[in-house]
Amino acid sequence: MDYDPDNIFAKILRGEIPSTRVYEDDETLVFMDIMPRVDGHLLVIPKTPCRNLLDASEGQLSAVIATTQKMARAVMKAFDAQGVTVQQFNESAGGQEVYHLHFHVLPRHDGVKPRAPGQMGDMDAIATHAEKIRAALEG
Ligand code: 5GP
C-alpha cells in the first residue's frame, strides 16, 4: 500500500487544515483528536510520511514511541488519571481510518468507559483540554 500525501494528517502537518496542537519536536507532532473518546484524547504522529506500523522505519517508530510516553505522562498529570490507554490501528481490517501512522493516547479513570467512536467533540472543551496538557508538559 502506498502513502497518500493528501491524507488528513498530512494536511494537518502542512497546516492546510486546522488542528489543536499540543506538542511538537523535530520528528513528531501531537494534536487533539477531533472525535475524542475521552477528555484529553490526543494523537501522536511522525512528521515524515508513513502509512502505519507496517511500513514505518525504526527511526519513525522510536521517535513516535518516545513522544507517546511523554504524552502519556502528561495526560496522567493533566487529568489526574489513574491509567492511560494507547491504541494504534493498521489498515482497514485493523481499524485504521486515517493512513498516516498515529498513536492514540487516552487518559483513563477507574470505572469510566470511553464514549462511542465517531462523535464530534466540542471544540471549546478540546481547546481547554489541550491547554491542560500543555501546562502539564511545562510544569
Ligand atoms: P484511526 O485511523 O486510528 O482508526 O482513527 C483516526 C482518528 O483520527 C479518529 O480517532 C478520528 O476521530 C481522528 N480524526 C479524523 N479526522 C480528523 C481531523 O480532521 N482532525 C483531527 N484532529 N482528528 C481527526
Side-chain angles (χ1 to χ4, degrees):
M1 292 285 199
D2 292 333
Y3 179 80
D4 172 11
D6 287 325
N7 74 75
I8 292 167
F9 295 169
K11 290 181 179 179
I12 283 175
L13 272 167
R14 293 194 295 265
E16 293 170 6
I17 63 172
S19 63
T20 306
R21 297 178 177 219
V22 292
Y23 174 81
E24 70 178 304
D25 59 24
D26 288 347
E27 295 171 277
T28 63
L29 175 67
V30 180
F31 53 93
M32 304 305 288
D33 197 299
I34 205 166
M35 293 178 256
R37 304 286 310 276
V38 298
D39 291 354
H41 179 176
L42 59 78
L43 300 168
V44 181
I45 68 171
K47 286 186 170 176
T48 48
C50 71
R51 197 172 154 88
N52 55 39
L53 191 68
L54 301 170
D55 66 335
S57 69
E58 282 184 27
Q60 286 171 317
L61 288 177
S62 59
V64 167
I65 282 293
T67 298
T68 298
Q69 183 190 46
K70 187 181 186 79
M71 301 315 301
R73 290 172 171 164
V75 298
M76 285 289 288
K77 186 174 169 189
F79 294 90
D80 199 19
Q82 288 136 358
V84 180
T85 297
V86 173
Q87 292 180 310
Q88 194 277 319
F89 305 104
N90 301 282
E91 299 300 332
S92 177
Q96 186 174 12
E97 293 181 351
V98 178
Y99 294 96
H100 182 110
L101 175 66
H102 55 279
F103 282 71
H104 298 253
V105 177
L106 295 84
R108 301 297 303 276
H109 297 86
D110 287 334
V112 179
K113 288 185 182 168
R115 294 183 281 269
Q119 301 178 58
M120 281 297 287
D122 176 273
M123 293 312 291
D124 289 339
I126 288 173
T128 300
H129 299 150
E131 191 51 49
K132 288 175 76 164
I133 298 166
R134 286 187 212 103
L137 285 165
E138 286 167 11

